[in-house]
Amino acid sequence: MSLLITLVRHGETDWNAAGRIQGHEDIGLNSVGLAQADQLAERLAREQFDAVVSSDLQRTRQTVAPLLARQPVPVSYDAQWRERNFGRLQGMRRADMEQSAPEFLPLLARRDLDADFGGGESLLVFSERCVDALNALIARYGTGHVLVVCHGGVLDCVYRHAAGLSLEVPRPVGLRNAAINQLRSAGGPDRLEVVCWDDTSHLDSARDETDK
C-alpha cells in the first residue's frame, strides 16, 4: 500500500509574467492562468482523489476551483503550503532589487540558507516548513491519492527532500505554472519516490519561472 501525492503549481499571474517576487502577496491568476486551471482540471478529471489540500492564497484557490467543480472532493486550505515569505523583496523585479535592495542579490544568487530579506523566512526555515507539511500529509492519509495545490518554491523544497539534494545546489528541475508533479510514499516520509515532474503536456502554454 502506498500514497500517491500529485502536486501542482498554481496557474500564471501577472506578477509571474512580469518577474515580480510574490511570496505571501495574495495575487490572483491572469487570463493565461485561468485557462491553465481549466486545462489542468480537464487533465486531472481522469484521476480519482481522496482529498485535496491547497495553499490558502488566491492563486492556488483559483487554480483548483475548476477541478472541484468537476469532482466534489474534500478540500482543505492550509497556510503551511504557502510560498516562502520573501520579506522586503515581495513585489520587486530584479531591476527593483538592483536599485532598492542590492545587498540581497548575492544572497539570492548563492541560495544563502539564513537570509530572511528583512522580516521574511530564511531558506532553511522555509524548507523545514515545506517538509513538515509534506510529512504531516503523509501521516494523515497514509494511502490513496491526494492532490496538493501549491507554489514553485514549495515544489522545489519538496523535490530536493525527496531526491536527497542540498538546498544550496542550483535548481535541478522545472517548476512551471500548472505543471503536474507526483511523489509516491511507500511506508512513511523517508521512503519517497519521484514518479514524474514538471509535466505540462496538458497545457497550451507554461512559464518556466519560480513563484518568487
Side-chain angles (χ1 to χ4, degrees), residues 41 45 59 63 119 138 154 163 192 198-199 207:
R59 55 193 182 269
T63 299
I138 293 170
V154 176
L192 288 169
D198 199 41
D199 177 6
R207 189 177 299 275

Side-chain angles (χ1 to χ4, degrees), residues 52-58 60-65 68 73-82 140 149:
V52 174
V53 178
S54 171
S55 158
D56 63 336
L57 295 178
Q58 180 182 186
T60 49
R61 287 174 176 266
Q62 288 179 309
T63 299
V64 76
L68 295 175
V73 183
V75 59
S76 58
Y77 299 99
D78 187 349
Q80 282 293 100
W81 290 97
R82 280 188 181 191
R140 178 176 179 181
V149 187

